[in-house]
Structure formats: C-alpha cells, structure tokens
Amino acid sequence: MILDSKIPEGPVAEKWDKHKFNVKLVNPANKRKYDIIVVGTGLAGASAAATLGELGYNVKAFCFQDSPRRAHSIAAQGGINAAKNYQNDGDSVFRLFYDTVKGGDYRSREANVYRLAQVSVNIIDQCVAQGVPFARDYGGLLANRSFGGAQVSRTFYARGQTGQQLLLGAYSALNRQVAYGKVKVFPRTEMLDLVMVDGKARGIVVRNLITGKIESHSAHAVILATGGYGNVFFLSTNAMGSNATAAWRAYKKGALFANPCFTQIHPTCIPVSGEYQSKLTLMSESLRNDGRVWVPKTVEMAQRLRKGEITVNDIAEADRDYYLERKYPAFGNLVPRDVASRNAKLVCDEGRGVGSSGLAVYLDFADAIKREGQAAIAAKYGNLFEMYAKITDENPYEKPMRIYPAVHYTMGGLWVDYNLMTTVPGLYAAGECNFSDHGANRLGASALMQGLADGYFVIPYTIGDYLAKMPYDKVPTDHPAFREAEQAVIDKNNQLLAIQGTRTVDSFHKELGLIMWEHCGMARNEEGLRFAKQEIRRVREAFWRDVKVTGVGEELNQTLERANRVADFIELAELMVDDAQSRKESCGGHFREESQTPENEALRDDENYAYVAAWEFTGVGNEPRLHREDLEFENVKLTQRSYK
C-alpha cells in the first residue's frame, strides 16, 4: 500500500488556498441529495455536523452520551490557541506553525500544521460571533495568556472552562441545523462497526444503548470524530466513557492506524490517591503561568516532609528546587508537556517527590498572590482552585497544589491525508481521532484549535471533493453488507454474554492499564516493551475466557458496553506496544530510555525515524503490517529541541 498524503504543490503558505480552489465543488442544489454520518459530537463532530448541515447536506450525528453537549470536549480547561497577535508580542501564523512543529518534536506534516495555524485566526472570529464568552481585559478587548512551548501569549480562554464554552457554541450551531431539519441527532447510540460497500465507507452499525437494539444507518460518507484512546491506561483525565471502539473497528475494516504509541502525559494533574480511583483530574496548564513548580532540594528533606515531621511552609526558599526554572531558563515553567512530565518523574525517581506516595511535586502560587493579590488570582483560576480544594480538602491559596503527570491526550490516531480522509475511501477522521497535526507531543491549547479547525474549516471543503465524484444513489440498509456487519456485531455481543466467567470487566481494564503505565507510559525500554506484549496477550486470553458480563443484549447493559470497549482497548494496547518497540528513538511523548541525551532529554534519530508509522490490521493476534509516510521539512530546520 502506497500512502498518498495528497499534499498540494507550492509554498507552504499557499497550499491551503490553492487546494480550496482546486477541489471539486458540489452544487448547492445537489448537496441535499447526499447523506453524511458524523460519529461523535465533541468540538470536531459538532462543528462538522453543524457546518455540513448549513451547507445543505443531510447529516446524521451520533453520540453515546445522552446529549451532544456532554461530549468530553466540555472538560477542556485552559484555552485555545490562535495566531491573532493581539498582544503585539511577535506572534504570527508562521510562529504558531513553527512552535507546533517544534513542540511535536518534528514528527508532524508541515502542510497540515501550517493550515491549522492559518485557520486558527478564523476560529476565534467564529466563536465570538456565536457568543462564546472569552475573557476580556479592562477595555473590553479579548485577553490572552501563555501556554507551554511558546514565548508569546496566544491562548484565548474562558476562565478554566474554555472547552465547555466552545462546545456550547458548537452545540448552538448544531441545534440550529436540527431545528431546520438538516441534522438529525442520535444520542445514547454507539457505533460498533463500519459498513463497506464496493470498497467505500457507506454506513455504520450502531447499538441503541437504551433498548440494546442493533441498527444500521447508510450514507455517502462517514466522519469519525470520536476523540482519543487515553483510557487504554484505565486511569487518565478522560471521561470514563471515552473509548476507541469506533476508530478501532474502522482500523479492522482497513483504515490504517498512525503513531499509536504517541500518547501525551499531562504534567499538572491531581495525583493518584488510592486503588479505588477510576479516573484522574486535570489541573489546567494555564496554572503554570503563575504557579511555580518545585520540590525540596534534598532527599532527606523530602522524606521528613512525607513523614509529617515538617510542613511545606517550613521549607525555606533556599531549600526549594524550582527545577524547571533552573534547567530551562528561557521557558521556565512553561516548557512543553512532555518535558515538564519527564522532569517531574525524574525528581520523584530521585526520592524528592512530595505527598504520602512521594509521587507528586508542588505547584506554588504564593509569589503570584503576593504580587497580584488573591482576588486577581481567583479571577483567573477561581473554578480550578475550587475544584482542587473539593477533591483534596486543601486550600491552594494557602499551601501549594500537589500535582503529578497523568495520561491526557493521544497524538496518534487514524491515518488521514491532507483532506482528512483515511485509507478507506469515504471515511474521514477529525479532531483527536486522527493523527495529523501534533506529531509526538501536542502543545497546550492546541486540541481545541484542531477540533474546531477540522470541523468548521477543513472537512466542509474537502468532503465535497469526494462527494462530487459520487453518484446520488443511496445504499439501502437491507444490503447484504449491512446485514453481514449487523450479524457480526450481534455475534460478538453474544460471545461476550456467553462467557459467564468470574472476573469483572473493570478488573481486566485496571490490569491492562497498569501494564501500559509501567511499560509504555512516560518511559519505555526494549525489555519492558517485550514484557508488556507478553502480558497483554495473557490478559486478552484471560479476558475472553473468564470475563463476566451480566444481563442480556436487548436492554440497557452498561457492563456489555464496557466489555466491548475493553476488548478493543486490549487489542489497541498491543498495537501501541508494537509501535513503541519499532520506533527505537525518543521523540516528544515517546521516550525510549536507550535514546536520550546526557541531560536526560529525548534524543531523536531523524535518519531512521523521520516518518509516520501507519499500521495495517492483519488479524487479531497477528503481527500488524507497517507502512511508512516519510516526513519532509522544507520550512522548519530539523534540530534537537531546546527550551533552555
């Protein structure tokens, strides 16, 4: 298989404009003859469905939540990047492009990233027009703050609930099209298979989560906007319902999966407090604008702190190690997430971690409060401070927050070309569900930017190029391909229900997550990855022999829902390990211990690994087939990343 990225010719700054002119168009009167399915109603899915409906297409939007506005995009806190340069601090489209490529450790496509930076400026205008209540300065102008990996202030925000406000904007646009009859929403409905007819994606098979009924829906094209797969680790900042099933079932139907081992560990999360936890809580990266990260300078002092012999306020300024400021003076606490996370792990591994477990560092706002006053800090971060206090029963205005890295985002995903089409004709992937823009590490506040860029400004153009060549004929859902896919879904559900083993679904998920965190998490090595692969295969075999799924398929059955998702996570975990094992370099969030600089930084191998690894499904238990898309850098020079 030859991977054709369909990147337009010409200078990078002109590619998108030329491409928009060259793609085929669908006559407005003909758009109503085409049906499009959108799976997922987060920022990418809701914005795509709303925009396509407004263009005149007939859209069906599916989500497993009880309302599109409950999609996990709602949990995003800190902000959204855009190259507006309102602060007049040297920002530009090219600087945002450069920062994103560098932040991703040079493992992303230049053309896609430049387009993202270009359309970022349109996103803010779109959202302001929708009434999104971005923060403003005293004079009423839109405010900005800084995020990791940048030396300019380009992040627009709505306190610590930016994702929620942006999603409400997209949701209002979606509801407008629902009222016009152009979009039909199917809540509490989960995609369980992709239907192919004559080699093209022509529909999906879903399960009604209330009644358990298996149903089919036909369309001329399918867009997956189903988010990432961070919950493969069990403990993550993702909502517990977030899953990889839609993307994974598409992979098993022929869509290649790109860079699955590129997972992001967010440096500022509330630490694990016990085995009873089922998820972790994010503390926005925006807190690192004013919060200073530190640990005690000596192991002895950290031990006394953990034993309760001294308190954090007993530690003198001279005995505190502000390690990010010390090691990276140019960026300080606003280094990219992979750098901040690895350094937190490093100081904790040295024995200088804080908290009862020793797996935490401090995020201290004392200097900021002294400088600006508590009211000013509360105005910026009040809801985040309240959240922290409710969870930990500690007052972050009086003592530092305790934070530690946790799984947050996945840069890997379905392989897509410049048009966001997968290797399956007619199947598109948008937002976190695809691999395209962030390389090996996503910069903070760029996920919301990508989701809305794909949904509002990219797919509405590029999908027309495909549909313009498609006949208007609809495939009926009694077509043999639909019947075959439905039966396969029913058979798998029945197989899960028939096992009647002794272990819960969650026990397998926890076991899998621990294997992945220990051996394919913040640090990876050859021995650990080989062990992880053996362990994952053991877990898979035990799961299909001993899982207990109660109830029946033809009713509300959350155990069956989770069993399907965990079965897919187990298979995906093995692919992640395969990918991590094959990439014997360190880059961004993929840190191979065998490939690091003397200063413990990620050491890339551009000669052998400057490519996108796209994996082809060859059967459960079989070795996947690797395809490579070589990355070319014409505008950004390949150098060892430095934030010093």
Side-chain angles (χ1 to χ4, degrees):
M1 182 185 296
I2 298 174
L3 293 178
D4 181 7
S5 60
K6 295 185 173 63
I7 296 174
E9 297 292 326
V12 70
E14 299 174 9
K15 289 181 187 292
W16 179 231
D17 288 336
K18 285 185 176 179
H19 189 65
K20 285 191 292 183
F21 178 77
N22 290 329
V23 295
K24 294 185 181 301
L25 300 176
V26 179
N27 182 300
N30 290 335
K31 287 185 173 119
R32 66 177 68 99
K33 301 174 184 177
Y34 290 108
D35 299 333
I36 300 173
I37 285 172
V38 179
V39 185
T41 57
L43 287 179
S47 59
T51 308
L52 292 167
E54 188 159 4
L55 285 171
Y57 296 107
N58 306 307
V59 181
K60 291 181 178 180
F62 296 83
C63 65
F64 64 78
Q65 297 92 347
D66 57 2
S67 165
R69 60 173 292 189
R70 289 187 179 273
H72 190 57
S73 299
I74 203 169
Q77 297 173 355
I80 177 170
N81 288 330
K84 285 287 198 180
N85 194 32
Y86 283 166
Q87 305 302 314
N88 197 29
D89 56 0
D91 201 11
S92 64
V93 167
F94 190 88
R95 186 175 293 280
L96 175 53
F97 157 69
Y98 173 81
D99 287 347
T100 305
V101 172
K102 177 184 175 183
D105 217 352
Y106 306 93
R107 290 296 175 261
S108 52
R109 275 195 208 127
E110 278 195 344
N112 288 58
V113 177
Y114 195 91
R115 174 176 65 188
L116 176 65
Q118 273 180 298
V119 303
S120 70
V121 298
N122 300 330
I123 295 170
I124 303 304
D125 296 340
Q126 170 89 357
C127 295
V128 169
Q130 289 173 341
V132 173
F134 286 123
R136 295 175 181 267
D137 63 21
Y138 182 76
L141 300 177
L142 291 172
N144 293 111
R145 57 188 177 199
S146 299
F147 257 62
Q151 291 180 303
V152 296
S153 295
R154 63 163 69 102
T155 304
F156 296 79
Y157 63 97
R159 292 187 80 193
Q161 49 186 245
T162 313
Q164 178 178 1
Q165 300 304 325
L166 291 173
L167 185 59
L168 289 173
Y171 179 61
S172 66
L174 177 64
N175 271 353
R176 181 166 170 262
Q177 297 309 314
V178 170
Y180 288 153
K182 296 306 297 178
V183 177
K184 186 173 182 182
V185 176
F186 295 82
R188 301 295 286 144
T189 307
E190 183 167 25
M191 172 183 161
L192 292 180
D193 210 353
L194 177 72
V195 180
M196 310 269 292
V197 178
D198 298 329
K200 296 182 175 69
R202 291 307 302 264
I204 61 174
V205 175
V206 300
R207 180 171 181 268
N208 183 312
L209 299 182
I210 302 298
T211 66
K213 185 179 180 183
I214 303 299
E215 302 168 331
S216 290
H217 295 268
S218 171
H220 294 89
V222 177
I223 300 170
L224 299 186
T226 52
Y229 47 91
N231 274 351
V232 71
F233 291 88
F234 185 70
L235 285 178
S236 81
T237 65
N238 292 182
M240 288 182 64
S242 298
N243 64 82
T245 289
W248 190 249
R249 304 290 169 94
Y251 165 70
K252 294 173 87 168
K253 283 295 181 75
L256 300 193
F257 209 111
N259 300 335
C261 78
F262 286 175
T263 52
Q264 179 162 89
I265 315 292
H266 197 293
T268 53
C269 302
I270 296 178
V272 176
S273 58
E275 291 187 1
Y276 54 83
Q277 276 184 274
S278 55
K279 78 176 300 294
L280 298 174
T281 303
L282 173 72
M283 287 285 103
S284 170
E285 180 168 315
S286 62
L287 294 170
R288 287 194 277 141
N289 272 278
D290 289 300
R292 301 180 69 192
V293 180
W294 66 274
V295 290
K297 278 188 176 178
T298 66
V299 174
E300 179 191 9
M301 187 165 290
Q303 288 174 340
R304 291 182 63 201
L305 189 64
R306 291 196 293 270
K307 290 176 182 176
E309 296 175 4
I310 57 173
T311 68
V312 60
N313 294 326
D314 293 330
I315 302 177
E317 187 72 14
D319 294 325
R320 302 179 178 192
D321 179 14
Y322 296 92
Y323 57 89
L324 292 178
E325 297 174 25
R326 170 173 56 82
K327 295 176 72 172
Y328 308 98
F331 283 75
N333 294 298
L334 286 173
V335 291
R337 292 174 176 177
D338 61 313
V339 177
S341 293
R342 274 198 299 276
N343 277 276
K345 181 179 185 298
L346 193 64
V347 295
C348 290
D349 288 349
E350 291 171 354
R352 293 194 288 146
V354 301
S356 58
S357 66
L359 294 177
V361 299
Y362 284 129
L363 183 61
D364 197 337
F365 293 87
D367 287 349
I369 291 170
K370 190 182 300 180
R371 182 176 65 248
E372 299 183 26
Q374 183 170 319
I377 298 303
K380 292 182 186 178
Y381 313 115
N383 64 313
L384 299 172
F385 277 46
E386 290 168 15
M387 189 191 312
Y388 181 86
K390 284 182 179 179
I391 292 172
T392 65
D393 196 28
E394 296 176 3
N395 186 345
Y397 294 106
E398 297 176 358
K399 58 193 296 189
M401 289 183 178
R402 289 175 294 106
I403 57 168
Y404 194 68
V407 174
H408 177 59
Y409 187 89
T410 51
M411 285 75 67
L414 294 176
W415 185 91
V416 292
D417 61 18
Y418 191 70
N419 293 324
L420 303 187
M421 189 190 286
T422 68
T423 48
V424 173
L427 177 66
Y428 292 77
E432 189 179 355
C433 167
N434 73 33
F435 88 99
S436 69
D437 292 349
H438 305 297
N441 175 65
R442 176 176 69 76
L443 292 184
S446 288
L448 306 185
M449 174 174 64
Q450 186 211 348
L452 292 180
D454 289 355
Y456 281 136
F457 299 109
V458 179
I459 274 187
Y461 283 100
T462 61
I463 201 168
D465 188 55
Y466 172 76
L467 293 175
K469 307 164 194 170
M470 283 277 289
Y472 306 133
D473 303 345
K474 300 177 191 284
V475 177
T477 54
D478 59 0
H479 187 282
F482 281 93
R483 290 283 173 258
E484 183 181 333
E486 282 184 16
Q487 193 57 51
V489 167
I490 292 169
D491 290 346
K492 183 168 187 178
N493 285 348
N494 289 339
Q495 184 183 1
L496 286 166
L497 289 162
I499 295 170
Q500 290 298 303
T502 62
R503 290 183 57 185
T504 64
V505 174
D506 282 357
S507 73
F508 284 106
H509 197 179
K510 283 183 179 179
E511 185 177 7
L512 174 70
L514 187 60
I515 294 166
M516 293 299 290
W517 178 250
E518 291 292 335
H519 303 292
C520 197
M522 271 195 284
R524 298 120 185 230
N525 58 58
E526 187 69 23
E527 182 183 355
L529 291 168
R530 287 180 180 174
F531 176 76
K533 178 151 183 164
Q534 294 173 357
E535 286 293 284
I536 293 166
R537 291 192 163 187
R538 178 188 60 76
V539 170
R540 186 180 75 232
E541 190 274 332
F543 176 88
W544 285 102
R545 184 187 69 247
D546 199 27
V547 72
K548 185 174 182 63
V549 181
T550 55
V552 297
E554 296 76 29
E555 65 180 14
L556 174 69
N557 190 336
Q558 293 185 320
T559 307
L560 179 60
E561 291 171 35
R562 290 200 297 273
N564 263 303
R565 295 166 187 171
V566 171
D568 293 333
F569 278 141
I570 293 170
E571 294 174 6
L572 171 57
E574 187 171 347
L575 181 65
M576 292 170 67
V577 168
D578 287 336
D579 187 41
Q581 202 168 0
S582 74
R583 191 176 283 275
K584 300 185 188 303
E585 64 160 356
S586 291
C587 56
H590 170 62
F591 189 74
R592 287 289 298 256
E593 292 176 346
E594 305 93 335
S595 181
Q596 55 183 304
T597 68
E599 297 172 313
N600 305 113
E601 304 289 352
L603 181 62
R604 292 196 325 272
D605 180 355
D606 295 328
E607 186 175 341
N608 295 304
Y609 296 102
Y611 62 77
V612 175
W615 296 90
E616 181 184 358
F617 180 69
T618 59
V620 176
N622 298 334
E623 296 299 320
R625 187 174 295 114
L626 173 63
H627 303 270
R628 300 181 181 184
E629 177 199 342
D630 291 329
L631 293 169
E632 298 178 5
F633 295 90
E634 301 171 353
N635 301 276
V636 175
K637 184 180 178 183
L638 277 169
T639 59
Q640 182 66 31
R641 274 194 319 174
S642 174
Y643 292 95
K644 295 183 181 300

